[in-house]
Amino acid sequence: MSVSAWDPSMKPDVNDAMCPSRGVLEHVTSRWGVLILIALLERSYRFSELRRHVGGVSEKMLAQTLQNLERDGFVHRDAKPVIPPRVDYTLTDLGREAAERVRALALWTEKRTLTVLENREEYDKARS
Amino acid sequence: MSVSAWDPSMKPDVNDAMCPSRGVLEHVTSRWGVLILIALLERSYRFSELRRHVGGVSEKMLAQTLQNLERDGFVHRDAKPVIPPRVDYTLTDLGREAAERVRALALWTEKRTLTVLENREEYDKARS
């Protein structure tokens, strides 16, 4: 949806399948989007550093996710005019707001993972 | 990963592709998981009510997502012994913790959607 098609009286609603907020939410909750936002909350990263930091991401998915985040205005891509070329990725202020909320969820998840594994074991046992 | 395979000295790390915390994070950030958790934060829902509330979800995806959330211990499925059968879905305490963090992110997203649409337009204009 383009901004010009936006009706200012419209209230964004993630429960509405046609609302553009849903696409934004999907970018900040995407598998790699989450991990990239959290990494960039600590410091700026170069592409190859991010690739090492975020376990399991392919070059293609990292490039595509960074481009989505840049287009949304969450990530700033800073290409330094040096030889060899150097590109740093940094959070914008908007990206920092998103990343803080995403990190809160990820940290909570790490803290609760063992409990969830126990719940799954109990669930499976009750049904076997 | 089963609980018995869990090494207590292991610190969950969502950046580790092999860490089970990543699967938990994917459940709470999945497209439908997010919307279901937020809905259940308000009140309990019946299946058909949830289906109407969460725009665009198919019966199959709703059932599958609810089952994942139930197995993780986020959602309690309460089958009432009445005729016709009635099933209510409610958040557990653990699910409420997750849902509060997910809601914070979704509300922020709704508030910032117009800004993101503007950023996208600017990005595309600079490259056309």
Side-chain angles (χ1 to χ4, degrees):
Chain A
M1 176 183 270
S2 69
V3 177
S4 48
W6 181 275
D7 172 355
S9 71
M10 201 163 87
K11 202 190 151 331
D13 175 7
V14 291
N15 282 308
D16 174 355
M18 301 303 289
C19 180
S21 63
R22 204 179 261 193
V24 180
L25 186 60
E26 278 167 19
H27 282 178
V28 297
T29 56
S30 75
R31 173 184 291 192
W32 306 118
V34 164
L35 300 177
I36 292 169
L37 288 171
I38 296 171
L40 294 179
L41 205 48
E42 300 161 41
R43 62 172 177 91
S44 64
Y45 272 81
R46 298 170 69 169
F47 188 88
S48 54
E49 288 179 317
L50 259 183
R51 175 106 200 265
R52 278 192 299 274
H53 183 77
V54 176
V57 70
S58 70
E59 199 159 316
K60 190 184 155 195
M61 284 311 299
L62 180 56
Q64 192 179 310
T65 308
L66 280 168
Q67 200 188 357
N68 282 340
L69 295 175
E70 189 193 352
R71 184 168 176 259
D72 288 349
F74 297 139
V75 164
H76 175 66
R77 184 179 182 280
D78 185 19
K80 297 261 183 2
V82 291
I83 297 168
R86 171 173 179 156
V87 182
D88 285 314
Y89 293 91
T90 316
L91 287 183
T92 62
D93 289 346
L94 188 70
R96 183 162 293 275
E97 287 177 22
E100 277 162 0
R101 286 156 180 87
V102 167
R103 181 171 60 180
L105 181 61
L107 290 178
W108 177 86
T109 303
E110 289 178 340
K111 216 173 61 187
R112 293 308 203 181
T113 291
L114 185 54
T115 303
V116 170
L117 294 183
E118 286 165 352
N119 290 340
R120 288 180 188 170
E121 213 155 88
E122 202 174 308
Y123 180 95
D124 294 345
K125 210 183 290 167
R127 278 154 192 82
S128 65
Chain B
M1 176 184 269
S2 69
V3 177
S4 48
W6 181 276
D7 172 354
S9 72
M10 200 162 85
K11 202 191 149 330
D13 175 8
V14 291
N15 282 308
D16 174 355
M18 302 303 288
C19 180
S21 63
R22 204 179 260 195
V24 179
L25 186 60
E26 278 168 20
H27 282 178
V28 297
T29 56
S30 75
R31 173 185 292 192
W32 306 118
V34 164
L35 300 177
I36 292 169
L37 288 171
I38 295 171
L40 295 179
L41 205 48
E42 300 161 42
R43 62 172 177 91
S44 64
Y45 272 81
R46 299 169 69 170
F47 188 89
S48 53
E49 287 179 317
L50 259 182
R51 175 103 200 266
R52 278 193 298 274
H53 183 76
V54 176
V57 71
S58 69
E59 202 160 310
K60 191 184 154 194
M61 285 310 300
L62 181 55
Q64 192 179 309
T65 308
L66 280 169
Q67 199 189 357
N68 283 339
L69 295 175
E70 189 193 353
R71 183 168 177 259
D72 287 349
F74 296 141
V75 164
H76 174 66
R77 186 180 180 280
D78 185 18
K80 297 259 181 6
V82 291
I83 297 168
R86 171 172 179 157
V87 182
D88 286 314
Y89 293 91
T90 315
L91 286 183
T92 62
D93 290 345
L94 188 71
R96 184 162 291 275
E97 288 177 21
E100 277 162 0
R101 286 156 179 87
V102 166
R103 182 172 60 181
L105 181 62
L107 289 178
W108 177 87
T109 303
E110 289 178 340
K111 215 173 62 188
R112 293 307 204 183
T113 291
L114 184 55
T115 303
V116 170
L117 294 183
E118 286 165 352
N119 290 340
R120 288 181 187 169
E121 214 156 89
E122 201 174 307
Y123 180 95
D124 294 344
K125 210 183 291 169
R127 279 155 191 81
S128 66

